[in-house]
């Protein structure tokens, strides 16, 4: 009889411990100490999508979106670890699987889809032409013919500039550099992402520059991953959740002070 009692105690103690372990696990599912963080590449030279603050922190629309995706409310089960990469090397870094994903205002294009994968569109964007404020000649695509144009290496702006007859194209690594070249008078125009340019002008970061043709193209940004990524499905579901639960709208309003446009659920 005594022996049986003793076993019952042990059993209850054991069950108690087990329950405690289960409880702890469900109380702290967000720390994911047992899951390695998702490595996410970004080129933080692109206001207001990804920028590095003076203290070295990353902030911006893309950063908020990615961090929101990593919250358990978006259904994802991983922490995010950002890694700064030059924009030009983003696609080859993804191909080599040196990062799990990249968020960097990356436009979904048929060309890029040959080598990497993209999430569903998360931002409606397009290119714009920027010139010095005193420029009266450049007004549209046609007036760019034969002009000197600065673009970011490897960007959709660079692809677009290649289609302008007789244009002389200078390529740069980052936004601040090609706008500086425009201000210095070395080039006549910059072709780059409209939202980024308009944001910089509005916030006094680009004095002396104006936009003459807004949304020359219609583009969508997507979160990029290597092909056959095990994370893509969860990322897509997470974006859908943020779109339907109001988080996307909140982030959009924070950075653009406007209502977000409708997004298609797939590309194109
Ligand atoms: N949307 C353009 C592209 O995909 C430019 C993006 C630049 N992004 C950046 N973080 N520098 O080519």
């Amino acid at each position: 009889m005594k022996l049986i009692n003793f076993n019952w105690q042990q059993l209850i103690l054991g069950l108690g411990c087990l329950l405690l372990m289960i409880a702890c696990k469900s109380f702290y599912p967000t720390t994911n100490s047992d899951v390695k963080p998702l490595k996410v590449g970004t080129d933080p030279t692109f206001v207001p999508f990804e920028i590095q603050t003076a203290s070295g922190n990353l902030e911006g629309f893309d950063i908020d979106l990615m961090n929101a995706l990593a919250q358990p409310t978006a259904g994802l089960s991983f922490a995010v670890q950002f890694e700064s990469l030059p924009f030009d090397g983003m696609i080859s870094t993804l191909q080599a699987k040196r990062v799990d994903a990249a968020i960097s205002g990356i436009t979904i294009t048929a060309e890029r889809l040959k080598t990497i994968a993209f999430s569903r569109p998360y931002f409606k964007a397009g290119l714009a032409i920027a010139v010095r404020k005193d420029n009266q000649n450049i007004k549209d695509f046609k007036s760019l013919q034969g002009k000197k144009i600065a673009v970011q290496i490897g960007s959709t702006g660079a692809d677009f500039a290649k289609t302008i007859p007789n244009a002389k194209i200078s390529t740069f690594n980052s936004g601040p550099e090609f706008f500086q070249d425009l201000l210095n008078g070395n080039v006549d125009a910059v072709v780059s992402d409209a939202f980024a340019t308009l944001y910089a002008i509005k916030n006094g970061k680009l004095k002396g520059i104006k936009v003459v043709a807004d949304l020359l193209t219609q583009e969508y940004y997507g979160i990029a991953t290597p092909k056959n990524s095990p994370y893509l499905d969860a990322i897509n579901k997470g974006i859908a959740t943020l779109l339907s639960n109001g988080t996307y709208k909140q982030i959009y309003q924070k950075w653009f002070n406007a209502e977000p446009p409708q997004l298609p659920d797939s590309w194109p």
Side-chain angles (χ1 to χ4, degrees), residues 42-47 49-50 62 85-88 90 103-109 112 118 125-127 152-159 173-175 178 192-193 219-221:
T42 191
D43 165 32
T45 65
F46 194 59
V47 285
F49 295 92
E50 39 268 332
D62 285 352
L85 294 172
F87 188 75
D88 190 35
M90 204 71 75
I103 191 162
S104 210
I106 310 172
T107 303
I108 307 171
T109 69
R112 290 171 178 169
F118 279 100
L127 296 174
Q152 173 156 30
I153 302 175
S155 69
T156 47
D159 293 339
N173 272 321
S174 69
F178 51 74
S192 64
D193 294 54
E219 304 186 357
Y220 289 101
Y221 296 160

Side-chain angles (χ1 to χ4, degrees), residues 113-128:
L113 279 167
K114 287 181 190 162
T115 51
I116 55 167
F118 279 100
S119 69
R120 55 180 288 165
Y122 74 84
F123 196 88
K124 190 174 181 183
L127 296 174

Side-chain angles (χ1 to χ4, degrees), residues 38-94:
L38 192 77
K39 248 205 239 169
V40 181
T42 191
D43 165 32
T45 65
F46 194 59
V47 285
F49 295 92
E50 39 268 332
I51 345 144
Q52 190 148 19
T53 64
S55 55
N57 291 328
L58 293 180
E59 60 174 43
F61 179 92
D62 285 352
I63 308 299
D64 284 353
L65 188 80
M66 204 65 225
N67 281 330
L69 282 174
Q71 294 301 310
T73 41
L76 301 201
S77 54
F78 39 73
V80 168
Q81 184 193 322
F82 289 104
E83 193 169 310
S84 292
L85 294 172
F87 188 75
D88 190 35
M90 204 71 75
I91 295 187
S92 54
T93 308
L94 282 162

Side-chain angles (χ1 to χ4, degrees), residues 191-261:
V191 176
S192 64
D193 294 54
F195 277 87
T197 310
L198 289 168
Y199 184 92
I201 291 174
K202 210 169 126 199
N203 290 276
K205 290 197 178 110
L206 281 183
K207 290 206 175 72
I209 286 174
K210 65 179 176 186
V211 161
V212 285
D214 185 2
L215 300 180
L216 276 179
T217 53
Q218 178 171 290
E219 304 186 357
Y220 289 101
Y221 296 160
I223 297 175
T225 65
K227 275 195 184 270
N228 304 316
S229 161
Y231 302 107
L232 198 53
D233 197 41
I235 290 173
N236 279 329
K237 287 194 180 125
I239 294 174
T241 304
L242 299 182
L243 283 169
S244 62
N245 74 8
T247 309
Y248 179 87
K249 184 172 161 168
Q250 215 179 314
I251 299 173
Y252 197 97
Q253 283 173 334
K254 169 179 170 190
W255 292 100
F256 299 103
N257 229 327
E259 282 291 302

